[in-house]
Amino acid sequence: MEPSLVSLAGTAPPTASMGGALWSFALVVGLLTVTPGLDAALILRTAGLGLRRRAWGVVLGIQTGTLMWGALSSLGVSALLTASQVAYETLRWAGVAYLVWMGAGMLWRTWRRTPAGELAEGEPDSGKDGVYSGWRQGAVTNFLNPKIGVFYVAVLPQFIPADAAHLTAGLLLTCVHILLGLVWSAVLIVFALALRDWLRRPAARRALDRVTGTVVVGFGVRLALSD
């Protein structure tokens, strides 16, 4: 989820009921969900290599991060990111370091292939089709993106009815975002798996890793240069 459309949410009118809030929030985060971004790149790359379980692990990790940010925002904790420059900068640079490290690793490994074009034994992603490894990658990627926290601080309160319990309503809205994310991720995985035979060819695999690595590094640089 790339919170570049936060201005759309900023124009959302106050909602009078929880039902209206859910539909309005679903519209906003639905647009964000289908906007191409880092999450989609990771899911497509993992599923395209035929790592079905790891791809779903990435999805679950991303949605775990979304749930965490929604809960922290509902509790008011993530407001520290907007109130404290130190907290925001610390998380931002941790995210930059992680994204550049992950993307650079993908790029570097494309130049260290075996003659057969496969990953060398013991390198990351070599035969590791595990849910946990994917979950860890997705969760860390989402958690270290402070823009998502700021997005929830700026947007979520606008959709919580005045007479609703803040934490309960916030978590319910977050679950809508998670549900949409799961549906869209399933579409991406099915699409990538349909092309897995072609994508698992050595040349195609190197191209996929180079494109994804460049995208990941690009998001890291973008986060570093963002205000």
Side-chain angles (χ1 to χ4, degrees), residues 4-91:
S4 58
L5 301 181
V6 65
S7 58
L8 290 178
T11 62
T15 51
S17 66
M18 197 64 227
L22 291 174
W23 283 109
S24 299
F25 190 71
L27 176 61
V28 172
V29 296
L31 292 173
L32 296 177
T33 298
V34 300
T35 301
L38 176 61
D39 295 346
L42 291 177
I43 294 169
L44 286 171
R45 185 256 179 183
T46 307
L49 296 179
L51 305 175
R52 185 197 304 265
R53 287 179 294 179
R54 183 183 174 94
W56 276 110
V58 172
V59 172
L60 294 176
I62 291 170
Q63 301 312 323
T64 299
T66 300
L67 179 61
M68 180 208 68
W69 281 120
L72 291 177
S73 180
S74 300
L75 292 170
V77 177
S78 58
L80 291 173
L81 290 177
T82 58
S84 172
Q85 184 72 11
V86 174
Y88 181 86
E89 290 297 324
T90 299
L91 189 59

Side-chain angles (χ1 to χ4, degrees), residues 125-156:
D125 297 341
S126 56
K128 295 182 179 179
D129 188 15
V131 174
Y132 174 71
S133 57
W135 176 87
R136 182 178 57 193
Q137 184 183 46
V140 173
T141 301
N142 201 298
F143 175 74
L144 292 180
N145 188 348
K147 288 189 174 184
I148 299 178
V150 173
F151 168 80
Y152 265 90
V153 170
V155 174
L156 199 64

Side-chain angles (χ1 to χ4, degrees), residues 182-219:
L182 290 173
V183 172
W184 180 241
S185 297
V187 172
L188 294 177
I189 290 176
V190 169
F191 172 75
L193 288 175
L195 300 176
R196 67 183 181 276
D197 291 339
W198 179 77
L199 291 173
R200 295 186 73 175
R201 296 175 181 175
R205 183 166 182 167
R206 284 194 295 270
L208 179 62
D209 278 358
R210 286 171 185 171
V211 170
T212 307
T214 301
V215 169
V216 173
V217 171
F219 273 97

